[in-house]
Amino acid sequence: MFAAGDCEMFQPLFRMHVGLLDFNMKRTRKYLGHGGAYIPECIMPWGDHFPFVYGAKHEWKDRPDKLQDGGWHKYEWVGQLEVSLMLLDYHAYTQDDAWFKQTALPAIREYVRFFDEHYTLDAKGRYNMNPAQALETWWECTNPMPEVAGLTRVTDRLLALPKGLLPDADRALFAKIRARIPDLPTRTLKDGHVAYAPAERFAAKRNVEHPELYCVFPFRLCSFEKPNAALGRAAYAARTDRHYQGWKQEELFAAYL
């Protein structure tokens, strides 16, 4: 849509997620006790969870789990990184610096800051993203590909912005976060090939998505002209759910690879 010049078509989406920034920051503080903001995967246009996802068995003060009852996307926090990348792409196509400073950057800052405030660091000084999940498919993960790839792509794009667009304090914050992101997860397949993996550790498969390929799309860290293309192609060849049900993006993965 950006390449076709349809930038105005993104405005309702941007108004929703940027417009909900304060709401999401307050929810993050109330539910998780720290700064930044997260976007739940299934929300109404005004920001509330889908009721059947959140659950209505208890009043909030009595809830044993403040996030949500439903487990399909309890720890799926890639949406805020997808929106952040769209905001960066919008600026790249429009070159609207004033809009970026006033509208996009404040939202991206909080959606990225969330990960720094939410997760602890491992012995190497990298984020230990756990508990976590890889989309709706793998429910027990450490360092899932979608969030790792998304955080990598978004912070790389932020740090590549001209000096006048990014205040020094933001550049320092994003550089700190970038240094703490784990490497894109890989695994060795039965045939001996190394391929991108859904997460550094993954278990409890429940759905049919391919989170290991989120480094291909939407985050565009792996594609046919890059030196890591073989890792993406191996992951694509090894995918197990070869049908057209569920949240699938096979044609996009194939085109990029």
Side-chain angles (χ1 to χ4, degrees):
M1 290 173 69
F2 287 129
D6 292 335
C7 293
E8 75 279 4
M9 301 298 287
F10 282 87
Q11 294 309 316
L13 180 71
F14 291 164
R15 282 196 298 270
M16 176 178 174
H17 289 300
V18 175
L20 289 172
L21 178 62
D22 184 62
F23 181 88
N24 285 328
M25 290 176 68
K26 289 176 179 176
R27 170 164 44 203
T28 302
R29 177 66 65 182
K30 184 174 180 66
Y31 287 14
L32 299 172
H34 60 70
Y38 79 96
I39 302 175
E41 179 67 13
C42 290
I43 55 172
M44 301 295 193
W46 52 90
D48 247 346
H49 287 77
F50 292 178
F52 71 90
V53 169
Y54 189 69
K57 293 181 181 179
H58 307 93
E59 292 186 38
W60 191 86
K61 62 181 178 62
D62 299 322
R63 291 180 65 89
D65 187 326
K66 299 297 194 279
L67 281 171
Q68 63 183 53
D69 286 348
W72 288 98
H73 24 67
K74 180 178 292 189
Y75 303 112
E76 185 180 353
W77 291 320
V78 67
Q80 64 217 59
L81 297 171
E82 295 185 29
V83 170
S84 296
L85 185 58
M86 289 181 193
L87 292 166
L88 285 159
D89 283 345
Y90 180 91
H91 173 256
Y93 275 90
T94 64
Q95 297 293 294
D96 189 340
D97 291 351
W99 170 87
F100 180 80
K101 291 178 181 179
Q102 296 167 11
T103 303
L105 182 57
I108 296 171
R109 180 189 301 122
E110 299 307 326
Y111 290 139
V112 169
R113 188 200 305 274
F114 167 84
F115 294 92
D116 191 58
E117 301 214 9
H118 187 70
Y119 289 114
T120 59
L121 303 179
D122 64 17
K124 296 180 179 179
R126 304 289 185 94
Y127 295 124
N128 179 38
M129 296 184 180
N130 181 278
Q133 65 189 95
L135 307 180
E136 294 185 13
T137 296
W138 299 97
W139 283 25
E140 297 176 11
C141 291
T142 299
N143 298 335
M145 174 64 86
E147 281 77 3
V148 170
L151 204 54
T152 299
R153 180 66 171 178
V154 169
T155 52
D156 281 350
R157 287 283 296 274
L158 288 165
L159 292 170
L161 291 170
K163 185 174 178 61
L165 271 181
L166 203 60
D168 290 343
D170 283 335
R171 193 172 295 277
L173 172 66
F174 299 141
K176 179 187 74 170
I177 291 171
R178 179 64 181 88
R180 292 176 170 180
I181 303 171
D183 294 334
L184 300 180
T186 61
R187 58 175 170 158
T188 301
L189 303 173
K190 291 181 180 179
D191 62 7
H193 287 97
V194 179
Y196 282 126
E200 184 178 312
R201 181 192 66 83
F202 54 97
K205 188 175 186 291
R206 299 293 184 91
N207 211 337
V208 295
E209 302 151 310
H210 297 127
E212 62 269 28
L213 291 165
Y214 266 52
C215 59
V216 177
F217 183 87
F219 296 117
R220 311 196 295 273
L221 294 170
C222 175
S223 51
F224 68 92
E225 85 290 1
K226 293 182 174 64
N228 61 351
L231 294 171
R233 288 174 176 160
Y236 186 86
R239 69 197 194 283
T240 55
D241 296 293
R242 296 175 177 236
H243 50 69
Y244 295 92
Q245 298 171 347
W247 303 102
K248 308 296 281 259
Q249 304 181 91
E250 315 295 88
E251 67 280 17
L252 291 165
F253 298 144
Y256 273 95
L257 291 170

